[in-house]
Amino acid sequence: MKQKFKSVVMENITTGKDVKNYKMLCLPLRKFFGWLMTINPNKVASHKRQTLSAIRMNVTMHYGITGLPG
């Protein structure tokens, strides 16, 4: 993902509950929907495909109705 969204992605370091530092990629909300649609369901573990589908539907319904912020 870092290469694909090189110009807009940002890497942050965050601290977890276990007090360890973790790298986290941040993607602007305006780019999230496009990225979400690039995920090939056939390459997702079979037990997670339904979750992917539900997330896509929720995002589509929400932003289809309200539009993207700012």
Side-chain angles (χ1 to χ4, degrees):
M1 183 160 81
K2 233 178 180 177
Q3 281 84 17
K4 190 170 189 172
F5 294 100
K6 193 175 181 179
S7 63
V8 294
V9 76
M10 181 176 147
E11 190 174 278
N12 284 337
I13 296 177
T14 186
T15 306
K17 280 186 175 182
D18 57 2
V19 194
K20 292 181 184 177
N21 288 333
Y22 295 93
K23 290 182 182 179
M24 176 175 60
L25 285 180
C26 298
L27 186 66
L29 186 57
R30 290 187 165 276
K31 302 291 182 182
F32 176 74
F33 184 70
W35 170 77
L36 187 62
M37 293 301 137
T38 66
I39 299 172
N40 182 347
N42 295 324
K43 292 185 177 182
V44 173
S46 59
H47 65 282
K48 294 183 180 181
R49 285 186 195 140
Q50 192 170 9
T51 302
L52 174 62
S53 179
I55 291 170
R56 282 181 171 178
M57 181 59 73
N58 287 338
V59 168
T60 302
M61 293 300 291
H62 179 76
Y63 289 109
I65 295 168
T66 63
L68 287 171

